[in-house]
Amino acid sequence: MPTVDDLLEHIGEFHFFQKQTFFFLSLLSASFTPIYVGIVFLGFTPDHHCRSPGVAELSQRCGWSRDEELNYTLPGQGAAGDAFTRQCRRFEVDWNQSSLGCVDPLAGLATNRSHLPLGPCEYGWVYDTPGSSIVTEFDLVCSNSWMLDLFQSAVNVGFFVGSVGIGYIADRFGRKLCLLITILINAASGVLMAISPTYTWMLIFRLIQGLVSKASWLIGYILITEFVGLSYRRTVGIFYQVAFTVGLLLLAGVAYALPHWRWLQFTVTLPNVCFLLYYWCLPESPRWLIAQNKNAKAMKIIKHIAKKNGKPLPASFQSLRPEEEVGEKLNPSFLDLVRTPQIRKHTLILMYNWFTSSVLYQGLIMHMGLAGGNIYLDFFYSALVEFPAAFIIILTIDRIGRRYPWAGANMVAGAACLASVFIPDDIHWLKITVACLGRMGITMAYEMVCLVNAELYPTFIRNLGVLVCSSMCDIGGILTPFLVYRLTDIWRELPLMVFAVVGLIAGGLVLLLPETKGKALPETIEEAENMRRSRKSKEKTIYLQVKKQDIPLR
């Protein structure tokens, strides 16, 4: 009996139906961007200082300019001043007293203003921004700044839990049903977050968005790869991630047009409401239906695909079988990932690289939001470099291999972070160029680890290996906000130093992995253990097998 791949060779591996489905699911991929990196705009922290009653009235009476007002009334001003004092402390002075003059009003209270007592910002803050963010609305600065870290960490906790739990549900109850449910919950929680009256409610709804949003993105990825033929699967998977990059560009434009966070959150959530129409646009995966022994429903969908593609379904292909024949069933165990020396090495290196990719990718985006300059243009330019990253992968993985481009991408990202530390702020164009180079490197590394992870494990533990190793991506996402925002308080470039070390180590570790170009996926523990040793003979065997299979089809 034929498999789905056999049928797709006759009714179209990537024709009208697959292209239409890819377009619909690419919109879903692009809409995931505001949840994954929307913190840059939703949590933007502008310049701020303590609000002091009476200062505005005194400034108006004296006719001060804004710079004069700040210089006369704020501590920590001047080259020797520090940001914490300037932003989080205020002079404990009654600015309403009539004895204060208009020229250096504090001179009559102390010969040196550094001797005046300082206190916390008990009356709130003044923010230098025409718009708003969750930082300005809920005062997530100074002693409350950790609450911004928690906001982004909460969504990554949701990613971690949701990817595992909803992944199981999708395998148990179907891709389409699970996709629609996650879209509905994502839309509802996104709108509720936009109207949340308090920080606590906003945090809860953001956590719920995390629980379902990455899971729906992954289900979309699974669906599109299950609808296309084998020869298109990898390319379609890469371009599905390119759609995420398109979402980055759109997010920069929408955030620029809507500088108020509630309107921005509401706007980027709206597409999810439209995605509910996919109930009538997307069928269930025929591969999943076959795995559930629902062959009649699978054949109905196969005939629908053939009709959409304008291809006749061969009369001899009226029944289907799963891609994998049932043989001796092996029960995967977490111990299988560390029991043998080579697979243990693969597991540890892959876990570290998933962690590194997440920390550097999210960390560089978050750090860009703190680096000054035009945040919208910087975000837009850095997103543009993700396009060449995808094309470089497509051009190199089958010519050069996986290992060297992957290692080089990590090292380029690490070196770019290190170089950025020593570039002066007044050479802004060079700083942005190097940052974009680092962004391109870590984007390549991120997409490469997705590809190679599955190629290093034997069949019966492949899904488990990908699940366990990729979970470090979400662990990295949980830690990244604290890493970026807290280290920046010590020294603005300190996160980049950490990123550089982490990235360079990741590049070196990749070189310890075997090359997987031209090799069949390992079926057993023994094959996975001997991947490096059997390289040449294995490549020849695979080449001959492919040639033998290709001849009859032509």
Side-chain angles (χ1 to χ4, degrees):
M1 287 190 293
T3 65
V4 174
D5 285 323
D6 295 332
L7 280 176
L8 288 176
E9 290 178 4
H10 290 81
I11 66 174
E13 291 187 292
F14 193 67
H15 285 252
F16 178 78
F17 170 81
Q18 287 90 347
K19 291 174 183 176
Q20 183 187 64
T21 302
F22 175 73
F23 173 74
F24 289 147
L25 292 175
S26 292
L27 296 178
L28 181 71
S29 178
S31 71
F32 178 53
T33 301
I35 301 173
Y36 195 66
V37 295
I39 185 70
V40 175
F41 303 111
L42 295 175
F44 175 64
T45 304
D47 286 336
H48 52 279
H49 59 270
C50 294
R51 183 186 305 278
S52 297
V55 166
E57 291 78 3
L58 180 61
S59 177
Q60 185 177 8
R61 175 168 63 85
C62 294
W64 290 337
S65 66
R66 175 171 174 78
D67 289 340
E68 288 175 325
E69 178 185 327
L70 298 179
N71 186 52
Y72 288 147
T73 61
L74 294 187
Q77 292 292 94
D82 68 281
F84 178 78
T85 301
R86 184 169 60 252
Q87 296 176 345
C88 303
R89 290 289 181 266
R90 67 177 187 87
F91 289 120
E92 293 192 329
V93 170
D94 180 8
W95 294 98
N96 291 308
Q97 55 186 300
S98 58
S99 59
L100 296 178
C102 290
V103 179
D104 197 4
L106 299 178
L109 302 178
T111 55
N112 189 336
R113 64 166 56 189
S114 63
H115 295 158
L116 290 172
L118 301 178
C121 302
E122 57 183 296
Y123 300 104
W125 287 263
V126 176
Y127 298 95
D128 183 17
T129 177
S132 68
S133 68
I134 62 172
V135 171
T136 63
E137 181 159 337
F138 298 108
D139 288 333
L140 308 184
V141 292
C142 300
S143 61
N144 292 329
S145 58
W146 62 271
M147 298 170 77
L148 178 61
D149 309 358
L150 182 63
F151 174 80
Q152 182 63 10
S153 293
V155 77
N156 280 279
V157 170
F159 292 162
F160 178 73
V161 177
S163 298
V164 177
I166 297 179
Y168 169 78
I169 295 173
D171 286 340
R172 178 69 177 83
F173 299 102
R175 303 352 184 173
K176 181 178 177 179
L177 175 64
C178 197
L179 178 68
L180 292 171
I181 291 174
T182 55
I183 288 173
L184 176 62
I185 297 173
N186 192 14
S189 57
V191 171
L192 290 171
M193 176 185 154
I195 60 175
S196 296
T198 65
Y199 170 83
T200 302
W201 280 112
M202 181 187 67
L203 188 67
I204 291 171
F205 292 127
R206 192 60 164 183
L207 174 62
I208 295 173
Q209 275 201 299
L211 285 170
V212 296
S213 58
K214 186 178 180 182
S216 66
W217 187 90
L218 289 172
I219 294 168
Y221 182 92
I222 293 168
L223 265 177
I224 189 57
T225 55
E226 289 184 342
F227 277 130
V228 302
L230 187 61
S231 58
Y232 288 91
R233 199 168 296 164
R234 185 174 58 206
T235 303
V236 163
I238 291 173
F239 277 99
Y240 183 77
Q241 296 179 67
V242 170
F244 177 87
T245 302
V246 175
L248 292 173
L249 301 180
L250 295 174
L251 177 61
V254 173
Y256 177 77
L258 299 171
H260 297 279
W261 80 268
R262 290 187 184 274
W263 283 111
L264 175 60
Q265 172 64 19
F266 182 76
T267 302
V268 298
T269 301
L270 279 181
N272 288 280
V273 178
C274 300
F275 294 154
L276 293 173
L277 297 174
Y278 286 179
Y279 176 82
W280 292 277
C281 301
L282 299 177
E284 181 56 88
S285 166
R287 299 177 195 268
W288 179 82
L289 289 170
I290 295 168
Q292 302 297 313
N293 294 318
K294 299 179 180 179
N295 285 19
K297 291 184 178 179
M299 279 307 303
K300 184 178 179 181
I301 292 173
I302 290 291
K303 290 175 182 177
H304 171 73
I305 295 173
K307 183 179 179 181
K308 280 273 191 179
N309 288 344
K311 300 279 187 176
L313 181 65
S316 58
F317 288 178
Q318 295 299 323
S319 59
L320 296 166
R321 66 174 171 84
E323 278 78 357
E324 296 181 7
E325 294 291 348
V326 178
E328 181 186 357
K329 186 173 182 179
L330 298 173
N331 294 316
S333 165
F334 287 100
L335 290 177
D336 291 321
L337 301 178
V338 294
R339 183 176 284 123
T340 54
Q342 290 301 315
I343 293 181
R344 178 168 58 246
K345 181 179 74 174
H346 298 170
T347 298
L348 294 175
I349 292 175
L350 287 168
M351 290 175 74
Y352 181 80
N353 269 270
W354 274 106
F355 178 84
T356 298
S357 296
S358 176
V359 169
L360 264 69
Y361 186 84
Q362 293 193 51
L364 287 175
I365 292 176
M366 291 178 194
H367 189 267
M368 177 178 57
L370 303 174
N374 189 319
I375 185 175
Y376 303 102
L377 283 178
D378 292 350
F379 189 92
F380 184 85
Y381 293 147
S382 64
L384 282 176
V385 300
E386 294 195 13
F387 290 106
F391 288 108
I392 290 172
I393 291 175
I394 293 172
L395 293 174
T396 58
I397 56 176
D398 288 328
R399 293 172 173 82
I400 300 174
R402 280 79 155 138
R403 188 170 53 161
Y404 291 118
W406 184 13
N410 273 310
M411 291 181 178
V412 165
C417 290
L418 186 62
S420 294
V421 174
F422 301 102
I423 298 176
D425 289 337
D426 54 355
I427 314 179
H428 189 65
W429 67 269
L430 181 59
K431 209 171 183 72
I432 289 298
T433 302
V434 172
C436 288
L437 190 63
R439 177 77 169 274
M440 183 174 71
I442 199 57
T443 300
M444 280 187 62
Y446 217 152
E447 295 184 5
M448 289 294 285
V449 71
C450 295
L451 171 67
V452 177
N453 198 151
E455 297 179 336
L456 290 173
Y457 286 110
T459 300
F460 84 100
I461 58 169
R462 187 168 295 129
N463 288 339
L464 179 65
V466 173
L467 178 65
V468 171
C469 293
S470 63
S471 67
M472 293 304 296
C473 163
D474 298 322
I475 300 298
I478 294 170
L479 297 177
T480 300
F482 294 95
L483 185 66
V484 173
Y485 296 129
R486 293 316 107 220
L487 292 183
T488 302
D489 287 343
I490 301 172
W491 177 37
R492 197 180 72 184
E493 309 299 343
L494 186 55
L496 294 178
M497 294 288 287
V498 175
F499 296 160
V501 173
V502 170
L504 292 172
I505 291 174
L509 290 175
V510 167
L511 296 175
L512 300 178
L513 294 173
E515 178 57 67
T516 58
K517 178 178 78 75
K519 293 186 179 181
L521 295 176
E523 298 292 339
T524 65
I525 293 283
E526 183 180 3
E527 288 181 11
E529 285 292 303
N530 296 324
M531 287 184 73
R532 187 182 290 272
R533 268 174 266 172
S534 59
R535 179 178 177 183
K536 291 185 179 179
S537 61
K538 192 75 174 177
E539 284 179 350
K540 291 179 180 177
T541 302
I542 294 163
Y543 178 75
L544 291 173
Q545 288 174 347
V546 171
K547 293 298 287 184
K548 287 177 182 177
Q549 292 171 359
D550 284 349
I551 290 171
L553 296 177
R554 295 174 185 273

